[in-house]
Amino acid sequence: MSVAETAFVETQAPAPAPKPNKVKPRRFLLPLLLPAVILLALLSIYPLGWLIYSSFHSVSLAPGAPQEWVGGDNWSRMIKDPLYWHSWGILAKYSIVSMALEVGLGTLLAVLLNRSKHEKVLVTLMLMPMMMAPVVAGLLWQYLYNGTFGWYFWFLESVGLLHGGTILGDPSLALWAIVVVDVWEWTPLVALIVLSGLKLVPKDQMEASWMDGAGPVRSFFQVALPSIKASLIIAVLLRFMDNIRIIDHFIALTGGGPANSTKVLPLFLYEQSFSFFDLGYGSTIALTLLLVTILLGKFVVTSFEEREPKRLKDEGEVL
Amino acid sequence: MTSSVLTQAQTDEEEVSPGPAIDMRDQVVKGQGSRWSGIVISGFIALYVIFTLIPFFIMLTTALKPAGEALNLPATGDWGGALKKLFVFTPTFEHFSSLFSQNNFSKYLLNSVLAAVGSAVISVVFGTTAAYAISRGRFRGKGDLYFWIISTRMAPVVAVTVPLYAIFKNLGLLNTIPGLVLAYTVFNLPFAIWILKGFFDAVPYDIEEAYMVDGHSRWQALLKIVPLVVPGLAAVLVLCILLAWNDYIFAAVMGGESAKTLPVATQGLKSASGIDWGQIMAAGTVTVAPMLLLGIVIRKYMVQGLTMGAVKQ
């Protein structure tokens, strides 16, 4: 057993098999559990019911306006709506590209940070963007990209990559500009997740691989990569989840324009619901988005459990 | 690992290893190697850190520059002028003071604090009890309960906002701080349960059993182990504050003017009569600075929180 594994077991001491208890656990644990569960049910199951109900109604927010049953109208409208499918496409494009960049750059950073003497300081500095409110990050980058007084625009022009024009006003550039913001804010998170995986790679294995004549790159793919695969999956899932969850960058930077080129699905939903106040149609779109989230969530939970050390099955008490 | 062990391993290596004494593998295995690979690696890391920090630097300096001066960039390709422009200026606090004197930011700041702290406290209190019960209990449907809790945390903010908006409208909770507190609890409570369960799992059940054998009641045994998770509780409280503080969508849709928070107010400066970037950057600094400080205080738990506990540092 390697050093890393031993350390892990020490901190995660498994609980022993349950012993007879004096008070019935049910009477003790249930009151502890219920308040949170009831609160969460009120805030999630009731709204979910409302969503399903509204997706079959025409919902107007005018006071006293009746909610009309419209059957499957919202659903068939959604399926026929080219903008709906277009926004899925943009979301997929955005997520895949930003994730590929974040995973690539993040893994590289993690490998380099792994043995750095200044790991603590560097990690702290790299954490900073993640603490910034995404909408503020969006505003800040909108300023940096600005064609007249943005420093990044000035820099790109000065090195000859741009010749006038705009960044965020150009339908072929805007989405990639937002990808860069996402990469700036979240690559460090991917790096830190991978770093935690790298710490579990047995060092002697790494060295043995090098002794056998494999270069650093081949050793990385043969020895380190299988060990950090679980970390990479978690990083990708978490990032994808957040790309669906948070649209603040888009709202601050482009609002979906120019020419819908940055209209990701959650932004499309936001617009239908809170610019046009078409909550019935909004509910329909929201349900499809939730469905995808739940499927993803299933993957997340499974991959988290795979990485957790196996706990004894009979730990704790029967409720 | 201590440095002596490292030195020891290193000398061993030098004795047995054939071929070139210095190559890439030393760099990656032991953190030292040829000077050139070291320089390339340090250079790359340095560039990345600069890339990370530049936006912060520009935000702060733009906020501190007198109106007009920030918006006046040197000619394209004038690198010397750029350096001078970036570092030489007379700082002024006019943007910060006008935020508070003319733009009502003291009220928005208070709203942000109330909404974030309110939901963080509720989430940590109910989250602690629930996490303890989930960690210690064994019951049918536990997996499903757990999955439901985590998917609530993962639900897209906009998809949650649609029904909550309509429900809160009927209940009269729109444009109120309690409404925002409840909305933030939607994602903070499952988050707190998820992370805190991890902390309770790390406390061996033996400890409570020992107390119970000694004649303490269950409640006393629970209270006895609370000190062991207090650092975790504090970290989760801070993380919940951070998540709620940084929210935009909920507050933009449900906060209105009377429960406007800092991120919404900052974005709102953009649409009002032209864009005063100095002021927006000042507002951004006011929004971000408290979270940076809090984040650095709980640095150790930051990654654990942001990765939903997948990474423990």
Side-chain angles (χ1 to χ4, degrees):
Chain A
M1 183 181 274
S2 77
V3 183
E5 276 171 348
T6 325
F8 209 56
V9 170
E10 272 168 13
T11 52
Q12 295 269 329
K19 286 165 196 149
N21 304 294
K22 284 174 258 169
V23 189
K24 270 210 179 116
R26 183 188 295 270
R27 287 181 49 196
F28 172 65
L29 291 180
L30 222 50
L32 288 174
L33 185 62
L34 280 182
V37 169
I38 291 169
L39 185 58
L40 211 53
L42 286 176
L43 289 170
S44 71
I45 294 187
Y46 179 54
L48 182 67
W50 189 93
L51 273 182
I52 296 171
Y53 172 88
S54 300
S55 75
F56 294 103
H57 288 77
S58 146
V59 181
S60 165
L61 285 169
Q67 301 196 345
E68 260 178 77
W69 169 263
V70 293
D73 282 9
N74 286 325
W75 290 91
S76 59
R77 177 181 161 195
M78 184 183 77
I79 290 166
K80 285 185 216 139
D81 192 340
L83 204 50
Y84 171 76
W85 297 107
H86 169 82
S87 337
W88 268 121
I90 300 277
L91 178 64
K93 205 156 86 174
Y94 171 76
S95 301
I96 290 168
V97 174
S98 57
M99 244 154 13
L101 286 172
E102 283 161 23
V103 166
L105 196 54
T107 309
L108 181 62
L109 277 171
V111 170
L112 300 183
L113 281 176
N114 193 19
R115 301 292 167 197
S116 171
K117 276 173 270 175
H118 311 292
E119 191 188 313
K120 276 226 166 85
V121 182
L122 292 171
V123 166
T124 307
L125 289 176
M126 282 170 44
L127 276 171
M128 285 172 60
M130 295 185 237
M131 299 166 203
M132 184 183 268
V135 78
V136 173
L139 287 167
L140 174 54
W141 279 80
Q142 190 191 23
Y143 172 63
L144 293 170
Y145 283 149
N146 186 293
T148 10
F149 30 73
W151 278 102
Y152 278 11
F153 190 87
W154 178 88
F155 176 80
L156 290 171
E157 259 194 334
S158 295
V159 298
L161 283 172
L162 267 182
H163 306 283
T166 66
I167 297 176
L168 293 172
D170 183 341
S172 61
L173 274 183
L175 188 68
W176 311 128
I178 304 180
V179 164
V180 173
V181 181
D182 200 71
V183 167
W184 172 75
E185 195 159 17
W186 296 107
T187 299
L189 184 70
V190 177
L192 294 173
I193 295 174
V194 176
L195 190 59
S196 81
L198 277 178
K199 301 265 186 231
L200 300 176
V201 177
K203 228 168 68 184
D204 43 350
Q205 266 186 42
M206 257 334 234
E207 291 189 35
S209 164
W210 267 303
M211 286 309 193
D212 292 346
V217 176
R218 227 179 91 203
S219 304
F220 172 77
F221 280 103
Q222 280 181 347
V223 182
L225 199 59
S227 311
I228 60 171
K229 213 178 81 189
S231 309
L232 283 174
I233 291 173
I234 287 172
V236 166
L237 287 171
L238 281 173
R239 285 313 306 138
F240 193 65
M241 196 77 74
D242 266 0
N243 281 344
I244 298 183
R245 242 175 69 77
I246 313 266
I247 50 168
D248 301 15
H249 287 163
F250 289 86
I251 288 178
L253 279 155
T254 61
N260 290 332
S261 63
T262 60
K263 191 159 285 162
V264 285
L265 189 73
L267 190 59
F268 176 62
L269 163 61
Y270 183 75
E271 209 178 67
Q272 293 299 324
S273 308
F274 301 112
S275 300
F276 307 138
F277 285 100
D278 193 345
L279 291 191
Y281 190 39
S283 303
T284 316
I285 304 166
L287 277 174
T288 60
L289 202 54
L290 276 173
L291 188 71
V292 172
T293 315
I294 288 170
L295 289 176
L296 264 172
K298 206 83 201 169
F299 280 119
V300 171
V301 172
T302 321
S303 57
F304 272 45
E305 276 164 1
E306 271 169 19
R307 235 193 80 157
E308 290 271 299
K310 294 270 174 291
R311 290 219 183 76
L312 294 181
K313 275 271 183 298
D314 53 356
E315 176 194 2
E317 312 171 58
V318 183
L319 203 66
Chain B
M1 174 180 302
T2 61
S3 58
S4 64
V5 175
L6 197 75
T7 331
Q8 184 58 43
Q10 196 180 309
T11 37
D12 288 353
E13 169 84 0
E14 274 161 14
E15 279 161 21
V16 285
S17 111
I22 297 163
D23 61 7
M24 265 302 281
R25 71 175 178 231
D26 290 321
Q27 179 58 47
V28 186
V29 175
K30 288 195 248 104
Q32 46 183 256
S34 91
R35 235 168 95 209
W36 286 111
S37 67
I39 288 171
V40 168
I41 288 171
S42 307
F44 179 81
I45 293 183
L47 273 182
Y48 192 83
V49 169
I50 291 172
F51 170 69
T52 298
L53 296 183
I54 278 185
F56 286 93
F57 175 78
I58 296 205
M59 179 170 78
L60 186 62
T61 53
T62 306
L64 289 173
K65 280 176 185 173
E69 192 177 313
L71 305 184
N72 207 338
L73 292 199
T76 304
D78 178 9
W79 297 95
L83 277 181
K84 195 168 161 239
K85 190 89 209 166
L86 278 174
F87 291 100
V88 186
F89 61 93
T90 337
T92 162
F93 286 96
E94 60 182 274
H95 294 305
F96 287 97
S97 57
S98 80
L99 282 183
F100 289 93
S101 61
Q102 291 162 30
N103 286 296
N104 234 347
F105 261 61
S106 36
K107 186 188 153 202
Y108 306 145
L109 180 66
L110 182 69
N111 284 347
S112 268
V113 171
L114 288 176
V117 173
S119 103
V121 168
I122 290 180
S123 305
V124 168
V125 168
F126 290 117
T128 308
T129 57
Y132 179 80
I134 294 179
S135 171
R136 297 304 191 234
R138 192 156 59 91
F139 46 91
R140 241 183 309 156
K142 182 171 163 176
D144 296 329
L145 177 72
Y146 206 34
F147 177 64
W148 169 55
I149 288 172
I150 192 65
S151 46
T152 311
R153 162 68 175 79
M154 289 165 174
V157 176
V158 190
V160 178
T161 316
V162 175
L164 281 189
Y165 177 80
I167 293 166
F168 281 13
K169 192 173 156 68
N170 288 335
L171 296 175
L173 283 169
L174 277 191
N175 310 335
T176 64
I177 296 287
L180 271 190
V181 168
L182 272 181
Y184 291 154
T185 306
V186 174
F187 58 79
N188 269 341
L189 179 58
F191 171 77
I193 295 175
W194 178 274
I195 302 284
L196 286 169
K197 177 188 172 286
F199 288 131
F200 281 118
D201 282 347
V203 177
Y205 189 52
D206 296 3
I207 301 183
E208 286 136 278
E209 281 192 326
Y211 278 115
M212 282 188 267
V213 169
D214 283 354
H216 289 79
S217 77
R218 284 178 164 281
W219 286 98
Q220 286 166 327
L222 166 57
L223 289 177
K224 290 282 183 192
I225 65 156
V226 163
L228 297 175
V229 290
V230 158
L233 285 178
V236 172
L237 189 76
V238 171
L239 283 162
C240 285
I241 291 176
L242 183 90
L243 290 175
W245 182 281
N246 285 349
D247 160 76
Y248 172 78
I249 302 276
F250 277 123
V253 172
M254 301 197 273
E257 176 58 33
S258 48
K260 197 183 259 186
T261 58
L262 285 177
V264 181
T266 307
Q267 162 84 359
L269 286 174
K270 202 166 78 169
S271 37
S273 62
I275 300 183
D276 180 349
W277 283 108
Q279 197 163 54
I280 291 184
M281 292 300 123
T285 309
V286 170
T287 310
V288 171
M291 294 305 110
L292 273 184
L293 291 177
L294 281 181
I296 287 167
V297 170
I298 58 147
R299 200 202 77 96
K300 232 180 89 192
Y301 294 95
M302 195 73 202
V303 184
Q304 190 171 352
L306 288 170
T307 57
M308 302 293 295
V311 172
K312 298 181 180 70
Q313 278 197 317

